[in-house]
Amino acid sequence: MHTISAHALQAVTRLVARRMGSTDAEAAEVADHLVRANLAGHDSHGVGMLPRYVQLLRDGLLVPNQTPLTVLDSGALLVIDARRGYGPRMAADAVRRAIGRAQELGACVLALRNSSHIGRIGTYAELASAAGCAFTAFVNVADHHNIQTTWQAAEPRLGTNPFCAAVPGADGPAVLLDMATTTIAAGKARVAYNKGVPVPDGCLIDAAGNPTNDPAGFIRDHTGALKAFGMHKGSGLAVMCEVMAAVAGGQGAFHTARGGILNSMLATVIDLSKLGDPAAIARGVESVKAHVKSACPAPGYDEVLVPGEPERRAAAKRMQQGIEVDDITWREIRAAAESLGITAAEFDQAAGADYSKLQVG
Ligand SMILES: NC(=O)c1ccc[n+]([C@@H]2O[C@H](COP(=O)([O-])OP(=O)(O)OC[C@H]3O[C@@H](n4cnc5c(N)ncnc54)[C@H](O)[C@@H]3O)[C@@H](O)[C@H]2O)c1
């Protein structure tokens, strides 16, 4: 295991993204996105995605510095085709446009299509929250094979289709729900596999449809599937992500994307200052948080949390103590960098003094 500072991870990510062909600005956006995901505790969507991004580039399925196509720009409706552009920049730029439009008109509905992997959806909710806006997103994931089994199904038919909603509170941070509609995000099975640990009970089935805790088949052989969370309800939300983001949003390609991962997102951004008194809304959000947290914890727990709290706590801790990257993931990142012609010396220099200082084990 390596413990690496956020700063050092950003430098390494920027170096790799630059060598993939991105401009400095795009590389910085990608690095910021991936490292913020690590900071939030979602290693599934952090720097461990870099080897996959390099492979997508090599397969011609990720386009650095892409100019997105505005398909529709009509008042409160924005439809943007990312044309397989680098997801973290495509989605952040699209959400920034939607925030601007919401600040003019009160609200904006954004349909983003055909983006290469957009990563942690909560990052876009945080952009909206920082601008005083509420945010919701239905997201579709199209990959080269289906990986989510819906309720009562023994075979996968969907991707991990995340849903996200956030409203800013009085102290800035939002109540922020950001989740895959599978019991765990697919990347969490990858992280477990790389660490050599089992996934939790009830998350995964094997090729024969039997429950398993071993992520090897799923990650290495692409067999088996992740289960939808919450029985028929989570499964229903996954189906709604499919139809809202991919069908209503107009992507047209739904569950599978030949050879590479594509996201589409149907998001709403609402400027709370246009909806009512933002200070009163923020006070209301704080009072809901306090009310929920005032419940007596169930046996085995010492407190009740609200959505978004685990990520904020993880970020505060990891900012101070560094981010743990398992050895296999670190080696995969180094190999991906090397495949782009980055020398070991360049890599280590980017990782810098912080890296050597914090590296353990
Ligand atoms: N781009 C894509 O294709 C894609 C696909 C799937 C998932 N994702 C991302 O994967 C990430 C991980 O998803 P996940 O479903 O594994 O997340 P998760 O299960 O760790 O967390 C889901 C939500 O539950 C909340 N939560 C967690 N523990 C809690 C507790 N004890 N009390 C109250 N709330 C709690 C979190 O704040 C979060 O909002 C997300 O950031 C998501 O956007 C992206």
Side-chain angles (χ1 to χ4, degrees):
M1 196 62 91
H2 306 269
T3 305
I4 305 173
S5 73
H7 177 73
L9 278 184
Q10 276 195 334
V12 166
T13 309
R14 267 201 313 275
L15 174 69
V16 172
R18 282 289 289 123
R19 206 58 67 90
M20 288 172 72
S22 289
T23 60
D24 280 336
E26 182 169 88
E29 184 96 58
V30 170
D32 188 57
H33 183 100
L34 294 182
V35 175
R36 279 169 67 139
N38 284 115
L39 283 171
H42 295 297
D43 296 333
S44 52
H45 288 72
V47 295
M49 286 303 294
L50 273 177
R52 180 91 199 264
Y53 291 172
V54 171
Q55 188 58 49
L56 289 171
L57 175 78
R58 193 152 285 131
D59 294 341
L61 299 168
L62 181 158
V63 183
N65 310 321
Q66 182 61 289
T67 304
L69 180 73
T70 301
V71 178
L72 176 71
D73 182 348
S74 169
L77 290 176
L78 271 180
V79 180
I80 297 172
D81 187 333
R83 302 161 73 217
R84 287 195 181 270
Y86 218 144
R89 182 173 72 84
M90 292 292 113
D93 282 354
V95 169
R96 286 188 197 106
R97 276 181 75 181
I99 290 169
R101 193 55 58 88
Q103 287 170 336
E104 262 175 59
L105 301 175
C108 180
V109 175
L110 163 71
L112 176 73
R113 307 173 180 166
N114 273 322
S115 180
S116 192
H117 188 242
I118 64 176
R120 173 180 172 251
I121 313 306
T123 301
Y124 312 112
E126 285 164 356
L127 277 179
S129 285
C133 296
F135 178 88
T136 63
F138 294 91
V139 179
N140 160 254
V141 193
D143 209 336
H144 48 74
H145 62 294
N146 297 311
I147 55 173
Q148 171 165 192
T149 48
T150 53
W151 184 237
Q152 296 179 345
E155 289 179 309
R157 285 291 180 268
L158 298 176
T160 53
N161 290 2
F163 174 78
C164 181
V167 180
D171 57 352
V175 179
L176 199 174
L177 177 71
D178 172 29
M179 57 180 210
T181 49
T182 40
T183 41
I184 52 170
K188 291 198 168 141
R190 183 196 76 238
V191 172
Y193 176 68
N194 283 355
K195 286 182 173 171
V197 298
V199 298
D201 288 344
C203 293
L204 196 58
I205 56 171
D206 65 18
N210 297 312
T212 179
N213 299 90
D214 181 358
F218 180 69
I219 296 298
R220 196 189 48 214
D221 312 325
H222 304 304
T223 57
L226 292 165
K227 294 177 71 169
F229 84 96
M231 303 190 293
H232 54 290
K233 299 181 189 182
S235 170
L237 185 56
V239 174
M240 291 316 297
C241 284
E242 192 81 7
V243 293
M244 290 292 270
V247 184
Q251 170 144 325
F254 317 131
H255 3 274
T256 50
R258 268 183 299 280
I261 187 163
L262 281 180
N263 279 139
S264 52
M265 170 167 77
L266 188 73
T268 59
V269 180
I270 303 167
D271 182 350
L272 294 176
S273 70
K274 300 277 196 297
L275 198 60
D277 172 6
I281 293 173
R283 278 196 303 277
V285 169
E286 293 309 320
S287 104
V288 171
K289 279 161 76 173
H291 179 63
V292 170
K293 290 176 68 60
S294 70
C296 173
Y301 296 96
D302 48 21
E303 65 176 324
V304 175
L305 302 177
V306 292
E309 230 176 340
E311 285 77 8
R312 278 198 298 283
R313 288 185 182 185
K317 186 168 167 217
R318 287 178 159 205
M319 213 48 202
Q320 282 253 309
Q321 298 178 5
I323 294 160
E324 288 197 343
V325 182
D326 66 81
D327 198 43
I328 291 183
T329 300
W330 192 238
R331 274 194 268 143
E332 285 176 353
I333 295 169
R334 289 194 84 110
E338 198 183 328
S339 77
L340 294 164
I342 295 170
T343 64
E346 281 178 296
F347 189 95
D348 289 338
Q349 191 188 13
D354 274 333
Y355 163 55
S356 35
K357 198 169 73 197
L358 285 168
Q359 186 182 15
V360 293

